[in-house]
Amino acid sequence: MTRLPYEDLPAGLGLTIHRIVQEGLTNAVRHAAPAHCRVAVDADGQEVRIEVTDDGRRSPASGPSVKSTAWSGCASA
């Protein structure tokens, strides 16, 4: 994925990305109590990839450790 400068994203998409990252971090802290979190956001004009990973605990009920990735389409402004 070729990185698109933040300034080139359509109006409103930056706030949406911010809110998705905020929710991902909130969930990680609330449910996994990590010592570290990592956020990666990549956009290429067609899609946005948001990845939030952590080193927190996993409960047996949550199943195997998985990485959550959110995809969102980008519309031309």
Side-chain angles (χ1 to χ4, degrees), residues 3 9-10 13-15 20-21 23 30 34 39-40 42 46-48 50-54 56 60-62 64 69 75:
R3 292 186 177 188
L9 294 175
L13 187 57
L15 179 59
I20 292 169
V21 169
E23 182 67 16
R30 182 176 294 149
V39 175
D42 287 312
Q46 297 297 314
E47 61 189 20
V48 174
I50 301 169
E51 185 176 275
V52 178
T53 57
D54 66 70
S62 69
T69 303

Side-chain angles (χ1 to χ4, degrees), residues 6 9-10 12 17 23 25-30 45 47-49 51-53 56-59 67 69-70 75:
Y6 179 78
L9 294 175
I17 291 168
E23 182 67 16
L25 290 173
T26 297
N27 287 341
V29 170
R30 182 176 294 149
E47 61 189 20
V48 174
R49 180 176 183 200
E51 185 176 275
V52 178
T53 57
R57 68 181 185 281
R58 305 280 183 234
S59 68
K67 185 187 312 180
T69 303

Side-chain angles (χ1 to χ4, degrees), residues 6 14 19 25 28-29 31-32 40 45 65-66:
Y6 179 78
R19 296 291 186 210
L25 290 173
V29 170
H31 300 293
S65 176
V66 296

